[in-house]
Amino acid sequence: MRALAMLVSLAVFAEALPAFAQEEPEVFTGDEPVEGENVFTGDEELPQESPEEPPPATDPSGWALPRILVVPERRTPDALIRNLYSLLGTVGEVVPADDYIREARSRGFPPEADEAFEAVLPEMDVELVVVVGVRAGRRSRRAPRPRRVHFMYREGQDGLALLEEEHDLPSDTLVQLTADRVLAEARLALAVITRPRAPGVVQEGDEVRPVEARLERRGPRREPGAAVQVALSAGGGFGMRQFELPTELGVVRLTTDPFPIADLALLFELEPTARGQLELFGALHYTTSLGLRTDDMRPDGTVRNTASRSQALEIAVGARYRVVESIDSVALGGLAGFGVRLFSSEAPVTIPDYGLSAVTIRGLVIFPFLEGRLELELAPELQFIFLVDDALTSRGVDPFAVALGGVARFAAQLTGPLYAGAIYRESHAFLTTDDEGAGDVERYVSAYLEYRP
Amino acid sequence: MLAAVLRRTLAVFGLVAFVQTAEAQDNISTGLFFRADTDGTTVLSPHVGARVGIVDDSTWVEVGYGADIWTSASIDIRTAATQVVTEQRDEITAEVERELDEVRLRGSYRYSDEHDYVSHGGALAVSQELADGNATVETALSAAIDSVSRSGDESFARELSTIGAKVTYTQILDPETILQVVYELNRREGYQASPYRFVGVGGDGRCNGSAQLCLPETHPAVRLRNALVLRVRRALGADFSGGLEYRLYIDDWGMSSHTAALQLAYVVDEDSTLMARYRFYLQTAASFYSPRYDLPMGRLRYVSRDRELSPMDTHRLALSYERNVDLTDAGPTVRFTFAIGTALLHYSDFVDLGVVFAFDATVAATVEL
């Protein structure tokens, strides 16, 4: 019944639009009155046509398959999505929804919401949208709950709903009968969509109704909600570590040459209102040396080369605030967290294995460029060291100290989910001992790739 | 058709991995595993990874990083009379998978590094669907090269190479039942002992006890291992599923083992599943293993103080809970997994070690696009 109602509305819609069926390209007969620049007055010099080879009425080189965006609702089986890709691939060019979903979520809308289509589709260049989801049937005590597959066919420019259908789904893929029906539905929907969508379809002076007026709304207009982003980054670069500790036998000193490092980070971002001014985030950042070897000068004057490891781990939460409500706006912010930096050696050496644990406070200034596709971040940092390993306290190092440093980061968007960037960090810990000061310096530079699904 | 029905049934019960279907969705995953036992060993294993679909969503690339931070004062450490040891092993994995209609190709690489052990490993697998998807055969070949060294002894360097093959046959018996048979053959050649373990000969078997002679642990250079696994899973009504598993292992060191496992899953609601699993394991000792070696009249060829080569049995019970949560109305969805387990390990013929209790916990999250 619902399908029938939709077909009726479809027929009305088809009358309202200058529709061209996919299989029937536009053909000019020469009898149509043409307005504007193309109107012939009879005074023009007509082009000479070769009587042997009359020009084709249409140029086939401009033909293209319609682009069909397949938007799966959450928890749609993977096999069903792949099944649809191959099925709809017979009537058009299938466009996976990854970019669309990412963009819709970044604007705070569920991907299947009218507002998401309205906001994102104008940037997508697709003719038809097929939203597919799975609905649970009536629950049974003896067998897994039966399911139905639900389709919503939408126009590709602004998401206008064209047709809604539902079929049985006994497995994760469509049975042949359902597949045939889905194919027919897709063809029917394509038949009422104006194509090709090119400059000139809407002429100057045509009445263009606002999108809101054309969309068939099922409820009140949805406001942008929260947007969540999770990112994982991995990189490599070079680091240096310096350590100095006065002892009764003299100053114990570690100075390394630049050594390779690996750098991993996990980031969680929350915008309470998508693309609003406030953003909250949490971050986990781990850095470790790779293949670091150090020379240890022993009291007897001999040098022992040993494998060592320099590591840093930081977990932090913070916020940043865009100064004006624009994605291009400079943002200010800060974070607070816990950080620990470690140094250890494989064999017992003069420099003890030690760790410094600290509360980290970092200010943030972020400069976005090109609508956020490039970003420069500067972050001065202050650490309150509150825990020093026994290996140092037993040598007279005070457990409380401060460290000063900062982070500079640059990132650029390569493709939708992939970013590349570079980060530089330097931190000087000023440790105090009974007699003199001691210090630990950590610095590294790393190039990284970041993935944001 | 039947395959798809069953796959859906099993997916409901969180048993998709059993059918070896790849997750098509891009995701980022992270997790933390913790284990502690009464033998003085604790292990902390964080992990992060990402899976990305490329090339028309029929090719996937997966990369991961994991670490084992291991602190031990176990019987091995105590016997060697050394202090508590803390070590870290880092591992990087990469995998590429490509789906070509009914064939699935997979190649993977693994690099593992700790200061006295480096390992490179790789595998190639081909999976073919048969009988309209009602059966699947997967063949996998693997190889690894390990370098073993000893802390504080730069002159010690040994190699270990491993090659293996695995054939997995999965058959759908009916819309609610699936059967799987796995055979695995594995050949290891090279250094397979511990560079830190010494074996007391004569006396009570302990180097720091009354042993008259103390020898470095020595194992045969070649080991051929065979394993045969049978698994059955069945949906039990709308909310439950159960699984049974048996594994037989035999190698040419004279060891054999039997593993039996029982699993029960309950679908709490559309987004959450609760699972319980019990596993029993029983093994015999290697032919050259002895808790105490007497002073030989001639040459003593192999000596071992590896508890993994001694006769033992274990009981393990684990509970896990999995829940899908939408972070916002717009997504994304996060799948949280919480698991706890407890095990009892019984060493029936090992000097100074009888029963060990172990506890483990896992927290993991996967964010899906």
Side-chain angles (χ1 to χ4, degrees), chain A residues 74-75 78 82 105 109-110 139-140 142-143 145 147 170-172 226 228 232 264 286 305 309 311 346 451 453, chain B residues 4 8 24 26 28 49 52 65 88 90 99 115 151-152 238-239 271 324 326-333 369:
Chain A
R74 273 174 277 178
R75 296 171 185 64
D78 302 334
R82 286 199 292 270
R105 284 180 178 162
F109 296 120
R139 191 180 178 85
S140 157
R142 295 184 56 82
R145 188 180 289 189
R147 297 182 304 174
S171 73
D172 277 358
V228 166
L232 178 67
L264 273 174
Y286 173 65
N305 183 274
R309 188 160 183 147
Q311 300 177 84
E346 173 195 337
Y451 174 61
Chain B
R8 176 171 69 82
D26 294 2
I28 287 178
V52 185
Y65 165 79
Q88 180 172 332
D90 300 279
E99 188 181 86
H115 71 83
S151 178
D239 298 329
D271 289 315
N324 293 318
D326 294 331
L327 290 182
T328 68
D329 284 349
T333 301
L369 176 65

Side-chain angles (χ1 to χ4, degrees), chain B residues 219-220 223 251-256 283-290 293 304 306-311:
Chain B
H219 290 167
R223 189 177 190 185
D251 68 23
D252 63 352
W253 285 8
M255 284 185 68
S256 63
Q283 77 171 38
T284 61
S287 57
F288 54 86
Y289 171 81
S290 176
Y293 292 87
S304 178
D306 184 352
R307 62 177 134 169
E308 303 298 326
L309 299 183
S310 74

Side-chain angles (χ1 to χ4, degrees), chain B residues 43-312:
Chain B
V43 180
L44 194 64
S45 300
H47 172 268
V48 291
R51 181 179 176 87
V52 185
I54 56 173
V55 193
D56 297 336
D57 278 354
S58 57
T59 302
W60 294 272
V61 175
E62 189 167 344
V63 292
Y65 165 79
D68 296 323
I69 302 158
W70 176 83
T71 301
S72 183
S74 70
I75 185 69
D76 293 340
I77 306 293
R78 295 196 299 273
T79 304
T82 57
Q83 295 178 329
V84 174
V85 172
T86 298
E87 289 189 357
Q88 180 172 332
R89 183 182 70 87
D90 300 279
E91 183 175 276
I92 295 169
T93 55
E95 182 175 304
V96 178
E97 187 168 334
R98 171 83 176 159
E99 188 181 86
L100 301 166
D101 294 328
E102 294 173 342
V103 176
R104 192 180 287 266
L105 306 172
R106 195 173 71 245
S108 62
Y109 169 74
R110 170 187 57 80
Y111 170 72
S112 166
D113 178 79
E114 54 189 311
H115 71 83
D116 54 4
Y117 204 104
V118 176
S119 176
H120 299 268
L124 292 172
V126 181
S127 175
Q128 165 84 53
E129 284 190 0
L130 305 169
D132 292 332
N134 291 310
T136 306
V137 177
E138 183 178 90
T139 307
L141 301 173
S142 61
I145 297 175
D146 302 350
S147 302
V148 188
S149 58
R150 183 161 61 197
S151 178
D153 181 1
E154 292 185 11
S155 64
F156 187 95
R158 301 286 188 275
E159 297 285 327
L160 171 64
S161 62
T162 307
I163 56 170
K166 187 164 93 169
V167 179
T168 304
Y169 179 77
T170 307
Q171 176 66 54
I172 292 162
L173 301 179
D174 63 46
E176 294 174 344
T177 313
I178 190 167
L179 171 75
Q180 190 173 72
V181 184
V182 183
Y183 173 70
E184 186 168 8
L185 177 67
N186 189 287
R187 184 180 190 274
R188 311 183 85 192
E189 182 171 359
Y191 185 75
Q192 299 180 59
S194 166
Y196 301 104
R197 268 197 301 260
F198 287 82
V199 182
V201 179
D204 63 3
R206 295 179 300 176
C207 268
N208 56 356
S210 59
Q212 294 162 282
L213 191 61
C214 212
L215 300 174
E217 186 176 73
T218 308
H219 290 167
V222 177
R223 189 177 190 185
L224 198 63
R225 295 147 53 110
N226 300 267
L228 181 68
V229 184
L230 289 172
R231 293 190 184 104
V232 179
R233 296 277 194 277
R234 183 169 175 81
L236 308 170
D239 298 329
F240 287 91
S241 77
L244 285 172
E245 178 178 326
Y246 170 74
R247 179 178 185 268
L248 171 67
Y249 168 87
I250 299 172
D251 68 23
D252 63 352
W253 285 8
M255 284 185 68
S256 63
S257 73
H258 305 268
T259 309
L262 170 67
Q263 181 172 300
L264 190 65
Y266 170 59
V267 178
V268 181
D269 57 41
E270 191 183 13
D271 289 315
S272 50
T273 307
L274 188 65
M275 272 186 280
R277 179 179 162 89
Y278 168 75
R279 176 180 179 270
F280 171 70
Y281 175 79
L282 174 70
Q283 77 171 38
T284 61
S287 57
F288 54 86
Y289 171 81
S290 176
R292 295 172 193 81
Y293 292 87
D294 295 328
L295 277 174
M297 299 302 290
R299 186 178 169 217
L300 192 59
R301 196 170 181 194
Y302 303 120
V303 289
S304 178
R305 188 153 167 73
D306 184 352
R307 62 177 134 169
E308 303 298 326
L309 299 183
S310 74
M312 64 179 291

Side-chain angles (χ1 to χ4, degrees), chain B residues 304-323:
Chain B
S304 178
R305 188 153 167 73
D306 184 352
R307 62 177 134 169
E308 303 298 326
L309 299 183
S310 74
M312 64 179 291
D313 57 85
T314 69
H315 301 263
R316 184 171 192 277
L317 183 63
L319 287 172
S320 67
Y321 177 71
E322 195 174 287
R323 181 163 185 81

